Amino acid sequence: MTLNMMTRKKTITLLAKAALACCLGTALLPASAQPGTPAATFPTRAVKFIVPFPPGGAIDALARLLGQHLSVMWKQPVVVENRPGAGGIIGTEQLAKSAPDGYTIGMGAASTHGFNAALYKKLPYDTLGDFAPVAPSAMVPNVLVTNASVPVQNVQGLIAMARAQPGKLSYASAGGGTTLHLSCELFKKLADVDIMHVPYKGSGPALADVMGGQVPVMCDSLTSALPHIRSGKLKALGVTSRTRSPLLPNVPTLAEAGVKGYELTPWYGVFAPAGTPPQVVAQMNADIQKVLKLPEVKERLTTIGAEAMLDTPEGFAAMVRKDLHKWGGLIKEMGITVD
């Protein structure tokens, strides 16, 4: 064998060993690090789910229902964190200032992303610019209720009582700027009555005081009020939606009960901080829609008087913009402020 042949053979052997080492090294890399493969599937760790209101209300119930099923789907914990205060502003601000990586999401509502921009002179976040709408979740009507001891049986009876003692009757809400606050304010305007607003830090404590007799009237979400209506602790006078609730078929809408032009159906949905990668938003939207289509979730929503909402991130964003314009004009027309 000549020297050139020996050199050529050695070179081929070294090249073969180098190629084998390279292949073995690549095979040992995680899938997310291999050339030409996508990054690891989202999520790879726990996701924080901010609820800007206390436990006990419709928005909290929906967040926990979604979180429970997303946790199973994602095989990662979804930790619901209640951050109440200032009509949902505190928790919503925290969401806006969170890292836009998909690992912090939050529940929003018609109040946090529709009413507050018109109710407050200055917010610590931009309602449209600081958030990435992910997916709507559900619509839940509110219901006008009274303590069981209040001597009225219907909406017209409450209107007569309020007109007989202007400014002396009071109603509770989950806080200024919430859908519960606006529901009663719209009732006051359209029914032409003077009822004093008593804001609380959430639906739960407000509802407790209404049942305890400290405050006689409230517009509460059907989700949280329904068990107490059925137990007789509360009297349901009218629902705020366009049509009656199948869970309270004998309770009229406020429009049916004589409050002409009344309609307010609160919505709830999931938001992420602005700048969250579009592919992560798209995946979360698809997964939330899968959860909302589950038979057990649909059944649960029906039992709490909620109706699932399915839409793309773009469709949800358009709905938020439309609501912001609609309620901004109406709130200014009614002259309502909370500052």
Side-chain angles (χ1 to χ4, degrees):
M1 183 180 294
T2 67
L3 183 60
N4 285 341
M5 290 178 65
M6 291 177 63
T7 302
R8 187 181 302 168
K9 185 175 180 181
K10 184 181 290 187
T11 301
I12 291 172
T13 302
L14 288 172
L15 288 171
K17 288 181 178 179
L20 178 61
C22 182
C23 290
L24 288 172
T26 301
L28 293 173
L29 288 173
S32 60
Q34 291 187 22
T37 60
T41 302
F42 172 87
T44 58
R45 54 186 171 87
V47 174
K48 182 192 294 186
F49 200 170
I50 296 173
V51 177
F53 295 97
I59 190 169
D60 180 69
L62 287 167
R64 292 179 187 279
L65 181 63
L66 287 175
Q68 173 190 344
H69 289 276
L70 288 173
S71 181
V72 173
M73 183 180 294
W74 290 342
K75 296 182 174 59
Q76 296 291 342
V78 177
V79 183
V80 175
E81 183 177 296
N82 295 88
R83 286 283 184 167
I89 291 175
I90 291 174
T92 306
E93 179 186 8
Q94 182 187 0
L95 176 63
K97 294 179 178 178
S98 297
D101 54 9
Y103 288 94
T104 302
I105 57 177
M107 284 296 286
S111 58
T112 58
H113 289 78
F115 303 159
N116 284 353
L119 286 167
Y120 293 87
K121 293 177 182 176
K122 187 176 181 180
L123 290 174
Y125 52 81
D126 182 330
T127 304
L128 295 177
D130 286 346
F131 303 94
V134 175
S137 59
M139 295 184 291
V140 184
N142 289 335
V143 56
L144 178 64
V145 297
T146 68
N147 177 277
S149 64
V150 175
V152 299
Q153 302 304 320
N154 51 45
V155 171
Q156 291 303 318
L158 180 63
I159 291 173
M161 175 184 284
R163 288 178 178 169
Q165 42 183 327
K168 293 185 179 179
L169 205 61
S170 58
Y171 76 89
S173 84
T178 62
T179 58
L180 309 186
H181 173 211
L182 267 291
S183 291
C184 275
E185 284 297 317
L186 186 58
F187 168 71
K188 283 172 56 178
K189 176 179 175 59
L190 297 180
D192 192 24
V193 293
D194 182 9
I195 305 176
M196 184 174 67
H197 177 214
V198 182
Y200 285 76
K201 291 184 178 179
S203 172
L207 192 61
D209 271 9
V210 172
M211 289 190 293
Q214 284 83 3
V215 185
V217 179
M218 182 177 181
C219 290
D220 195 22
S221 72
L222 186 58
T223 301
S224 54
L226 190 60
H228 308 296
I229 293 169
R230 288 174 170 167
S231 71
K233 293 179 181 178
L234 295 172
K235 284 190 285 190
L237 304 185
V239 292
T240 65
S241 48
R242 181 180 299 178
T243 59
R244 294 191 184 199
S245 168
L247 297 179
L248 293 173
N250 297 322
V251 177
T253 67
L254 286 170
E256 283 181 310
V259 186
K260 189 176 179 180
Y262 193 104
E263 183 196 346
L264 193 158
T265 305
W267 55 261
Y268 303 94
V270 179
F271 292 81
T276 300
Q279 64 271 26
V280 172
V281 171
Q283 182 191 322
M284 288 193 291
N285 176 279
D287 291 344
I288 289 169
Q289 291 203 42
K290 287 176 187 176
V291 168
L292 292 171
K293 290 176 183 176
L294 291 172
E296 61 268 34
V297 171
K298 292 169 71 174
E299 182 180 354
R300 176 60 180 155
L301 289 176
T302 300
T303 62
I304 63 175
E307 179 183 342
M309 298 173 68
L310 304 174
D311 208 339
T312 62
E314 296 76 18
F316 185 32
M319 188 193 81
V320 171
R321 287 193 298 270
K322 182 179 178 181
D323 242 33
L324 189 65
H325 176 74
K326 170 188 172 182
W327 287 107
L330 187 58
I331 288 166
K332 288 176 183 176
E333 181 186 327
M334 291 192 294
I336 304 170
T337 62
V338 293
D339 284 339

